[in-house]
Amino acid sequence: MSLEEKLEKIRSPKLQNQRETAIVLSAVEDTLKEQRHDLTPTGYLAALLALLGQANALPNAIVNQDLAVSVVYLLDLVIGNVPAALLRAKFSQILTSIAPSLTSEDATAPSLRSSIGCLESLLVVQDRAAWTLPQTQISPRRAVAGLLALASDQRPKVRKRAQDAVTHILQHPPPSPSLDHPVADMCAETAMRTLSNALAVSSTSKSKSRGSTQEHNQPGLIHALQLVKAIASASGGWPSRKIEPLCEVLMGVSRSNNEYLTMAAFEIFEVMFQGMADQFSSSKLPRLMEALSDLKPSQNDSQLLPPWIAVISRGYDISAQIDPESTFHKLPELFGKVSEFLCSTSYEIRVSASECMISFLVNCIPESVIAEPSIIDEKTLEKVARSAQDLLNVRFQAAWMEVFNIEAAFFEALRWRAIPLARGIVTTIGELRTSDSFNGKKEADVVLGKAIQSMGPKAVLEILPLNLVRSQKGQPGRAWLLPLLRDNVINTNLAHFRSEFVPLSEAMYQRVIDHGESEKTMEVKIFETIIRQTWALFPGYANLPLDLVQAFDQEFAELLSNVLYSQPDLRADICRGLHTLVESNQEILAVDADENEILLRSRITKSSAQANLHHLATFAGNLLAVLFNVYSQTLPQFRGYILQCINVYLSITQEEVLLETFVRVTEMLEHALIETATLSPRAQQQPKESTPNQMPPTTHTLLDLIITLSIYLPLPTFGQLFTLTSRILPLTHDSQLQKKAYKLLPRLAQSTNGSLALRNRNQALQSLLLSSAATTSAPARRDRLLALTTTIDHLANADLHFIPSILSEAVIATKEVNEKARSAAFDLLVLMGRKMKEGGTIEQSKIPHMDSGAPIVQASLEEFFTMVSAGLVGETPHMVSASITALTRILYEFHGQLPRNLIEDLVSTLTLFLSSNNREIVRSCLGFAKVIVVSLPTEMVQPKLEALVPGLLGWSKEHKSRFRAKVKHIIERMIRRFGIQEVERWCPEDGKKLVQNIRKTKERKKRKKTEAGEEGVDVDEEKKISRKGTFESEYEEAIYGSEDEDSDAASDDDDGAPTLKRNNRKAAATTGRGTYITELPDDEPLDLLSANALSHISTSRPVQFKARRRTKASVDLDGKLVFGNANGTAVDQNEETAVDSREEPGDGTLEGGINAYVDATRGRDAVQRGRGGRLKFSNKKNRGGDEMEIDDEEPAERRRERSEWGSLSRARRSEVSGSSKRALAERGGRDRAGNGVVKKRFDPKTQRKGLGVQKVKGGRVGKARSGRTN
């Protein structure tokens, strides 16, 4: 920002505290204009200095505080733009003028910050001669001393401003051969003195409060560390002569129990190292590292040793960046020094030492040593390898977990150079891993995995052989290595797989064959597992093999083909390996990196990768033939990986092989289509039951292969391809085949040749798509819409008549049941609009069902809206609703590009449809209303509220199709945008209740949000989390989204159920779906481990019915039951005088006595005889209780029935059980599990004969409805 811009902001102040500054600036400018001086920085400086002298008339005192603050603030803005020569010449005068603002006891923080800024700008421009003046004079050194004093000020903003000023001054030294600023030594001495004094004060305070358990806070020590950090962060860094005492003091600070002080000390070390990373200051690094080495703490100092190790690690990291060769040659010595700390009993020391050694391996081994090591480098690597192997000694057994991390980093750092050096490490860890008593197998597997990645599987298996085929005595089998090899083999020799694992697979397979067809034993299953694990290694060996040209020959290709044919379980691994062979080399060609970097990372150059692809291309034709055959023999759900493999080999196949393959597959498809056409129409239309294990028709498989081939074909073949498509699209008997044919067009658009063919043959495609519209099956509609989208995307401006030809189909498709089809229809409409917006001509005579003399119109966005609006006069409500939905979508997309009058006419027209009696039309209108309320400008929508609000509220009492909830959401959006007064203004009387409900709900939410905020709950964050990922697009969010997605719009209550529903929805939004547990009787907890636990868990909220309230019976003075009131009318069951039908029998009356007798003999608690004549006592208090059987002997008939039941098969049992349940349900009974309850209907023919009396609920006596039955 320029000076003029800064002053302009001051001239028009927005805050009260800036007005005084604006007045001073205006006075200064008026004075300069009166004296006919230009408004230059020099003029401002002279005027402000004079004004500052008036404010500071007394020495070391400020007469006018407000004036001084404003003047110094303006001076801070101006002085940076004054010529440097003038500032050097007037240094004494300027410093004398601003000195009172710096030294006065009455100086405020704003005044001090501005004065520090003036002093900083003044000192930065001083030359070397000025810095040589002593501090006793009015010189820059004296001014820096004042800044250093302010750098420890208690006020944080003043202190920070002074520290930044010191850093800025030290970063801009005057021209000289010295690395450091002339005043750097003085700053360092002052900072060190301040830090030492603060440490002394801290130690004194600790000794006084030794009995206190709380760490004493020392702000002076923290401020001193901040000042040291500010000086060290300068470009020259800390002065070389002051490094040793600083390191000593900082290590003493690091000993503190205060974590903040320790972190501050290490931040200073980090700043110092960063400052020495450049070549200019790197000469200080050896002295710093030497000083740090001399400050090595005690061997078991767990408080100081970890930070010292961390500082050493960071220092050698910087040293490796500056001088990598010399640092690398120091690596064995460093390894030896730091490895001693691994013997420590402190866990923190061991972890710090291991991290330091890992840092050495990662940062201190140059890439040049790995690529082309010299003799000296090889000797150094040998020393490092011996040190790494010594770490596996028993002496470091307590730190073996940390040692394993070091060994893994060792293999990662040395990569393939570890092959001759790390044999001992692999041997030792392999022996430990084989031991059953070893507990660190997981960590050992990590190290061995890194060894496999670096050294290669061949070197590792030479040291640790598998011993699976010919195991020798005393040599353990190492089958556990197979999973490690699978996860870590990469960038190695493919020939090793052929020589090592192919024979292993053959030997295991032979053992499986020798077992024969008998039942598999555990040993045979192990052999089969080893075969699968062996071939699972092939994708790893195929990932950038070093010897692909030599190892992948005709014999190996035939072997892979035979395995693909004969063993379906291994097809996935083999196809993935074949896919990786091509893809890994293609990635090398596509990477944009230096050739040396690629060679160092993968040991393969781009030329080698290109040669590998050429070699694989010679096998592509035969491999594709095999893959095609395997594809046709594989079930559809397992074809994905085969198709991916086919696709990648088609990308490297030569053109003549592609043409030959395409011709062969096309001929087979045409022959299959002819065979299908020869079938009778009834056989073609007969639906086939699809099962998971059923192979698809041959036509489907061949068409899949042609679709895969299509993007790699040359231009001359597309004519035959489109001819084949035109034969398939009219076929109505096979919807899946038709669907696949439509997928061909979007697939072609992915290639350059395909896009060119779509443009050249666009007119033929238009005719084909128009003619096949009537024969499109429902499953193929989405793919047809995608094909139409592809055709329009490649449409020429002279063929825009195709858009109105298919417009009605696209509009109707917006009402499809399939969500993906609807999305495709919306995308098609948007693409049509964009195409029309580009301009062109529409020959209406070429549109189907149009007159030949129809005029030619110009394409535009307005014309497109006119075309879509024509559907509003459709004959069916479905067409009208679809047109409204289509207009909604394209209005949302193009509302900012349409003229205002068109939008207003459209809104007025569609608002009229809110008065329609058809729900489908109104549902679409509600979506349209929501879009215009959300997306259109307020000044455009507000005049339409007069008609829109009453139309919406007319459906606010309709509960079907969630009309009420949708209307409520739209009204909420209106209130948010236009205010509740504007909405209530056009609201009819019967609709104001809904508006009041919205207002109360909003106030309740605001109140809850306030309460939640007081409790520390972030409501907005919870809402963002719950709404994340709800909608697929902005249009769907505009249509269906709302900030209040509650479903309680059906109720106008302010409490109760609505709140419960909102809480349930919030829980469901958080967890994905709501989950409810049905309460058990008697408040018993649900046993989640029981077999029927899932029957009590529901994804929808269970309905709780209110229990009927039991009331006392009404009796008269004689004790007789009263069934009516005084008028003789019946008493309501819900009133307090209702009769209790469950009254206990035996109440002293005659009727009560009869009831008690009947209960004792025939009631639910009476003794009964069950099946087989067994006596039963019922102890159930409710329905469905358990019964206790007391007969010990089971009748012979019952035992025979049970034995017969046990001999039945499971399927027969379920069949018999199902029939018995159905029979029980027909009789109105309940099975043993309590299922199939049906209301029991009275049938005289099935009832027990009696004396005209039947048993009723509760065992009471009542007269039968009919007489005696037969």
Side-chain angles (χ1 to χ4, degrees), residues 86 201 370 673 913 1240:
L86 179 61
V201 173
I370 303 299
L673 290 174
F913 283 95
K1240 199 169 185 178

Side-chain angles (χ1 to χ4, degrees), residues 987-999:
C987 184
E989 288 297 328
D990 57 349
K992 289 186 177 180
K993 188 176 182 182
L994 177 63
V995 178
Q996 294 301 322
N997 175 262
I998 293 173
R999 180 183 58 80

Side-chain angles (χ1 to χ4, degrees), residues 71 126 153 170 193 333 382 405 525 576 594 614-615 676 731 905 1231:
V71 172
Q126 299 303 311
D153 194 271
L170 293 177
R193 186 167 53 253
E333 181 184 355
E382 291 177 1
N405 294 332
K525 293 180 180 179
R576 194 164 68 248
D594 184 63
H614 284 309
H615 180 72
T676 307
L731 300 179
D905 294 342
D1231 60 4

Side-chain angles (χ1 to χ4, degrees), residues 1054-1226:
D1054 293 337
D1055 300 309
T1059 304
L1060 182 61
K1061 290 182 180 180
R1062 280 194 298 271
N1063 293 338
N1064 287 341
R1065 176 163 277 103
K1066 181 178 291 186
T1070 305
T1071 60
R1073 288 190 65 182
T1075 305
Y1076 303 88
I1077 296 179
T1078 307
E1079 294 182 359
L1080 301 179
D1082 300 330
D1083 294 332
E1084 294 183 3
L1086 175 63
D1087 184 9
L1088 296 176
L1089 298 179
S1090 64
N1092 59 348
L1094 289 177
S1095 63
H1096 298 280
I1097 299 176
S1098 172
T1099 56
S1100 60
R1101 184 186 177 194
V1103 180
Q1104 297 181 355
F1105 297 98
K1106 294 183 179 179
R1108 182 173 294 179
R1109 185 173 55 187
R1110 298 178 60 183
T1111 57
K1112 296 181 178 180
S1114 177
V1115 296
D1116 58 6
L1117 297 176
D1118 297 331
K1120 296 181 179 179
L1121 296 174
V1122 178
F1123 292 95
N1125 52 22
N1127 300 330
T1129 58
V1131 181
D1132 189 0
Q1133 292 181 358
N1134 294 329
E1135 296 180 1
E1136 291 294 335
T1137 58
V1139 179
D1140 185 6
S1141 62
R1142 301 285 298 274
E1143 181 186 2
E1144 294 295 330
D1147 55 357
T1149 62
L1150 177 60
E1151 186 177 356
I1154 295 173
N1155 288 336
Y1157 174 76
V1158 173
D1159 267 344
T1161 56
R1162 300 182 180 179
R1164 60 187 176 188
D1165 296 329
V1167 179
Q1168 300 178 4
R1169 285 194 179 273
R1171 298 184 60 181
R1174 302 168 67 183
L1175 294 179
K1176 295 182 180 180
F1177 284 100
S1178 176
N1179 58 358
K1180 56 186 179 182
K1181 298 181 181 180
N1182 299 314
R1183 297 181 181 179
D1186 297 332
E1187 295 182 349
M1188 179 176 64
E1189 299 181 359
I1190 62 174
D1191 283 356
D1192 295 333
E1193 297 181 0
E1194 186 177 13
E1197 182 181 0
R1198 174 62 179 165
R1199 289 197 299 270
R1200 183 169 60 255
E1201 291 176 357
R1202 193 175 64 177
S1203 63
E1204 292 175 357
W1205 173 261
S1207 63
L1208 293 176
S1209 63
R1210 181 177 298 179
R1212 181 59 181 159
R1213 287 183 193 179
S1214 61
E1215 181 180 350
V1216 174
S1217 176
S1219 61
S1220 62
K1221 287 182 180 180
R1222 287 192 297 271
L1224 185 63
E1226 292 174 357

